[in-house]
Amino acid sequence: MAVAPTVEAVVAAGGTHIPPLMEALDQRLAELAAGHGAVLARHGGATIAAGGKRLRPLLVFVAAGEAAGPGVLRVAVAVELLHSATLVHDDVLDAAELRRGRPTVVATAGRGIATATGDLLFSRAFAELRANGRADEVRVLSDASSALALGELLQRADAFDAGVSVERYLERCEYKTARLFQAACELGALESGAPTDRVEALAAFGRRIGLAFQLLDDVLDVSGPAERTGKHRGTDLLDGTITLPLILARDRDRNLRELDLRTSVTNPAEAEGLCERIADTGALTDAREDALEYVQQAKAALDEIDLPARQRRALELVADGVVERYA
């Protein structure tokens, strides 16, 4: 797996135990993808291979620190499998053709195979975690899984709705993205045997990083370009997903308040045009500032606990890396 420079910095800062764990993670993911028949193995493997920077399992390893036992690898694998499952299922619901610049499973194999692939990845996540024999860890991942589903339901309910508020949008981000980041940090801390105050502080760190991640992802959907994001500019808007840049822009431009996405944004060219109108209001700058505030809150959560300097530095680099996605 090609590792992005920011992730390389986190790995280097986190300690010599992390690179072997990252390699073992990829090996285990490949083994799991290959073990369920040729068709599902091909599509499951392609989904995992397109998994990006492995940020969530990296958070597991960094939050665990050097004291973690062998179960930390199973935790990280479970988190990444759950994340991959949600991506496949999201693409089915959106009928998405591309994911990070690659054809999606639903585009290449159809809804049936894509749904089965997502189901497989989901079930394997919990099977992997069960081997640790810890009910508390299963509860954390189960809660995150339920939150992901609820976030998706909220997004579907809010589609094309001009009245979505900032508060409702943030609630959706909390469920759809932040809870899995939170779970990654919480699970890593639990596996290391950390005291309750450290578990809670690291969970709070993960939650805020997740919120910042989603806000900046929504900024990138509007700012583009496609060469960077792996999808057409304004893809979320074209799907009717109301995100923070549009919500803020509508408060500043009355014409945007009166815009009906169903009839006014029906193709990529119209989505691109709407992205330009949103950018012209200055909404992208304000949305980015909101994300930066969450990053600062995440770092502040680390001040509440005593952490080894190396571990703290690695976590801060994760926070900084979220911002660098936008820069």
Side-chain angles (χ1 to χ4, degrees):
M1 181 192 73
V3 182
T6 297
V7 176
E8 286 180 346
V10 175
V11 169
T16 57
H17 67 293
I18 292 184
L21 285 171
M22 294 296 286
E23 292 179 9
L25 171 78
D26 278 340
Q27 181 178 351
R28 181 58 178 158
L29 289 170
E31 290 172 356
L32 290 170
H36 296 274
V39 175
L40 289 179
R42 181 168 68 254
H43 295 298
T47 299
I48 291 169
K53 303 178 181 65
R54 305 280 192 253
L55 180 57
R56 293 157 188 82
L58 179 59
L59 275 171
V60 172
F61 296 143
V62 176
E66 297 186 41
V72 72
L73 177 60
R74 287 189 285 269
V75 167
V77 169
V79 167
E80 185 66 5
L81 287 171
L82 179 58
H83 172 57
S84 297
T86 64
L87 297 183
V88 177
H89 285 157
D90 282 355
D91 290 339
V92 171
L93 291 170
D94 296 337
E97 296 182 359
L98 294 175
R99 167 73 65 178
R100 299 191 182 97
R102 302 185 184 188
T104 61
V105 179
V106 69
T108 57
R111 290 179 60 91
I113 292 295
T115 300
T117 299
D119 290 347
L120 169 66
L121 296 172
F122 180 86
S123 63
R124 288 307 311 169
F126 283 91
E128 191 75 3
L129 190 59
R130 182 194 58 81
N132 276 0
R134 292 190 54 169
D136 56 346
E137 292 181 353
V138 173
R139 175 190 56 76
V140 170
L141 194 66
S142 178
D143 287 349
S145 174
S146 297
L148 286 163
L150 179 55
E152 186 62 40
L153 288 171
L154 289 178
Q155 181 167 305
R156 299 293 150 183
D158 291 347
F160 300 100
D161 184 355
V164 173
S165 65
V166 171
E167 292 74 21
R168 171 78 168 196
Y169 163 80
L170 290 174
E171 180 186 14
R172 195 174 74 219
C173 293
E174 171 88 25
Y175 292 130
K176 194 169 171 60
T177 304
R179 288 290 184 86
L180 188 55
F181 277 81
Q182 175 180 327
C185 291
E186 186 173 355
L187 286 166
L190 286 171
E191 187 58 34
S192 72
T196 301
D197 64 332
R198 183 178 295 185
V199 172
E200 292 176 350
L202 288 171
F205 171 86
R207 172 183 171 272
R208 289 159 183 157
I209 289 299
L211 286 169
F213 185 96
Q214 186 58 59
L215 264 63
L216 290 173
D217 197 61
D218 292 339
V219 169
L220 284 170
D221 181 69
V222 175
S223 65
E227 294 79 13
R228 182 178 182 184
T229 63
K231 59 182 182 179
H232 297 297
R233 190 178 174 198
T235 294
D236 290 341
L237 300 172
L238 191 58
D239 291 338
T241 302
I242 309 298
T243 59
L244 186 60
L246 178 57
I247 295 170
L248 297 178
R250 279 177 160 169
D251 287 340
R252 304 166 186 197
D253 184 334
R254 190 174 73 177
N255 291 328
L256 288 177
R257 284 200 298 273
E258 298 171 354
L259 185 74
D260 184 349
L261 288 179
R262 289 186 188 276
T263 58
S264 300
V265 184
T266 60
N267 58 60
E270 290 175 345
E272 179 103 15
L274 178 55
C275 288
E276 291 294 339
R277 292 174 64 185
I278 292 171
D280 287 344
T281 68
L284 296 183
T285 298
D286 286 353
R288 182 174 184 268
E289 288 300 317
D290 287 347
L292 292 175
E293 176 60 28
Y294 282 118
V295 170
Q296 292 307 311
Q297 290 177 14
K299 290 182 177 182
L302 301 180
D303 294 335
E304 300 174 8
I305 51 175
D306 183 26
L307 286 174
R310 172 172 280 180
Q311 186 178 15
R312 178 183 297 274
R313 178 58 181 154
L315 290 166
E316 289 174 346
L317 283 172
V318 172
D320 293 338
V322 169
V323 178
E324 288 172 14
R325 294 175 68 240
Y326 178 89

